[in-house]
């Protein structure tokens, strides 16, 4: 029996989600793309409302329930999504945004929370988004199984991006101070690093550590991990996560990314991250990019460089980039044997 319903029928969203869950559940999918499903109140909000005698009114979105179950249940016992390798989050074509916006406000945390524990998922991609003012609870650090994150043509809040990077257990690919420190959590696994961000990055604030602290602040100040809503949302999962190991922090420069083979950076970012950040920064007079690149580098792409270009920040010699790249070309065959 085939029943056709109108787009305006109030049952349409629920029937569409039920059909989507059925198709995904019975298909050996290798890739999956979907629009935002639905943002819900946190577990703490639901419990608080129930305790106050005013339980929140819920809506049964079947597809979201399906993904919630697949993501939170024992993976080996569930009969679906065992072959899913690639997930792409799509923007919602029905969402109205300001005509001056180039990006759509998007609850990236919410979508990541639907798939971050699926065992087979390897890559996540999303395009043309911006941070939303009311995101879902952020995923716990080192909890996600995907190893590749691609965020293209987007305008993501600096601290929001840090949390996304920190959520991964074992990052192999990702497309600067706290963001780079977050990447260094994956120094032992990161192989491909592509940061084409200079058009959106306040270069003077980055190169001046004092201004940088004022602009970026402390990444932990923006985290909600110490708040009750976060603790309640991930109470069970936090008990399963391994404790963070203490000890000496890795060196905060590109040289610390020992497994990186493919590196793509803007010329200013390359100079900044090679030289080191914060207390690890090397004095300019004794610094050479060629000595501080990843030791196993095979390919280097430099965005935005032109011969005889001057740096866009104060305090650097006008010919610093030309000099650094001449030295790199002259010494790479002896210092970077794979490049």
């Amino acid at each position: 029996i085939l029943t056709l319903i109108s787009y305006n029928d109030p049952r349409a969203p629920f029937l569409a989600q039920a059909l989507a869950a059925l198709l995904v559940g019975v298909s050996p999918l290798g890739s999956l793309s979907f629009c935002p499903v639905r943002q819900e109140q946190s577990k703490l909000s639901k419990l608080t409302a129930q305790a106050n005698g005013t339980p929140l009114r819920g809506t049964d979105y079947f597809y979201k329930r399906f993904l919630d179950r697949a993501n939170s249940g024992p993976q080996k016992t569930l009969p679906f999504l065992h072959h899913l390798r690639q997930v792409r989050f799509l923007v919602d074509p029905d969402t109205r945004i300001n005509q001056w916006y180039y990006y759509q406000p998007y609850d990236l945390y919410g979508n990541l929370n639907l798939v971050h524990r699926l065992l087979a998922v390897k890559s996540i991609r999303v395009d043309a988004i911006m941070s939303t003012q009311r995101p879902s609870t952020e995923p716990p650090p080192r909890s996600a199984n995907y190893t590749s994150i691609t965020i293209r043509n987007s305008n993501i809040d600096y601290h929001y991006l840090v949390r996304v990077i920190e959520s991964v257990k074992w990052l192999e690919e990702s497309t600067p101070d706290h963001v780079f420190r977050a990447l260094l959590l994956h120094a032992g696994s990161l192989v491909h690093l592509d940061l084409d961000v200079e058009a959106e990055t306040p270069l003077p604030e980055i190169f001046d550590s004092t201004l940088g602290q004022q602009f970026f602040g402390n990444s932990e100040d923006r985290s909600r991990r110490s708040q009750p809503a976060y603790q309640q949302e991930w109470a069970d999962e936090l008990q399963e996560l391994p404790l963070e190991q203490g000890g000496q922090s890795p060196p905060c420069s590109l040289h610390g990314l020992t497994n990186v083979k493919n590196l793509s950076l803007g010329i200013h970012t390359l100079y900044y991250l090679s030289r080191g950040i914060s207390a690890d920064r090397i004095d300019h007079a004794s610094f050479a990019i060629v000595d501080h690149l990843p030791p196993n580098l095979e390919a280097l792409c430099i965005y935005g460089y032109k011969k005889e270009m001057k740096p866009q920040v104060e305090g650097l010699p006008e010919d610093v980039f030309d000099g650094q790249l001449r030295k790199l070309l002259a010494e790479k065959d002896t210092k970077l044997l794979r490049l």
Side-chain angles (χ1 to χ4, degrees), residues 215-231:
F215 181 84
F216 295 114
N218 190 336
S219 180
E220 291 300 323
D221 293 342
R222 302 290 186 91
S223 174
R224 298 186 292 175
R225 292 175 187 165
S226 61
Q227 297 182 8
Y230 175 87
Q231 298 294 326

Side-chain angles (χ1 to χ4, degrees), residues 281-335:
R281 180 174 297 182
I282 301 171
D283 181 74
H284 169 73
S286 59
F287 167 69
I289 287 178
V290 68
D291 295 324
H292 298 278
L293 290 175
N296 294 306
L297 192 63
E298 297 179 0
L300 174 63
C301 174
I302 303 175
Y303 298 125
Y305 170 72
K306 295 181 180 179
K307 190 175 182 180
E308 298 182 355
M309 72 176 293
K310 299 177 182 179
Q312 298 178 18
V313 294
E314 297 180 357
L316 295 179
E318 293 187 354
D319 62 346
V320 61
F321 295 148
D322 286 344
Q324 287 286 346
L325 294 186
R326 280 196 301 268
K327 187 175 180 64
L328 171 61
L329 291 174
E331 300 181 8
K332 71 178 185 67
D333 291 339
T334 57
K335 295 183 176 180

Side-chain angles (χ1 to χ4, degrees), residues 4-42:
L4 299 178
I5 62 175
S6 168
Y7 178 81
N8 296 321
D9 191 306
R11 299 172 298 168
F14 308 101
L15 294 176
Q17 290 219 7
L19 178 60
L22 175 63
L23 293 175
V24 171
V26 300
S27 304
L29 295 176
S31 62
L32 177 65
S33 301
F34 59 90
C35 293
V37 179
R38 181 176 182 264
Q39 185 174 4
E40 291 189 318
Q41 296 289 339
S42 68

Side-chain angles (χ1 to χ4, degrees), residues 53-176:
T54 56
L56 298 175
R57 182 178 179 181
T59 304
D60 190 10
Y61 282 86
F62 197 88
Y63 184 62
K64 184 179 187 303
R65 296 287 179 269
F66 167 78
L67 290 177
D68 281 337
R69 183 187 175 195
N71 190 59
S72 60
Q75 298 289 301
K76 295 181 180 179
T77 63
L78 296 176
F80 37 75
L81 299 180
H82 289 179
H83 303 283
L84 184 61
R85 298 289 188 270
Q86 301 174 336
V87 175
R88 183 171 183 177
F89 301 139
L90 305 176
V91 296
D92 188 349
D94 294 327
T95 297
R96 294 183 178 182
I97 61 175
N98 189 298
Q99 62 177 335
W100 303 111
Y101 285 1
Y102 293 100
Y103 318 101
Q104 183 176 114
Y106 198 85
D107 182 26
L108 183 56
Y109 286 164
N111 273 10
L112 289 176
N113 290 340
L114 292 176
V115 299
H116 77 289
R117 295 190 66 190
L118 297 179
L119 291 178
V121 171
K122 297 300 180 184
S123 68
I124 300 292
R125 175 170 177 169
V126 65
D127 300 81
I129 67 169
M130 62 185 293
S131 306
T132 181
Q133 293 183 349
R134 299 181 62 185
S136 296
T137 305
E138 64 191 60
R142 309 301 287 269
S143 64
N145 289 317
Y146 41 80
T147 60
S148 173
I149 302 173
T150 302
I151 302 175
R152 297 288 189 189
N153 304 315
S154 298
N155 185 17
I156 297 293
D157 179 83
Y158 185 75
H159 302 275
Y160 201 100
L161 181 58
V162 169
R163 299 303 162 208
V164 172
I165 295 172
E166 290 180 344
S167 72
V168 186
K169 289 180 183 177
W170 187 266
L171 186 65
E172 295 179 358
E173 182 175 357
S174 176
T175 65

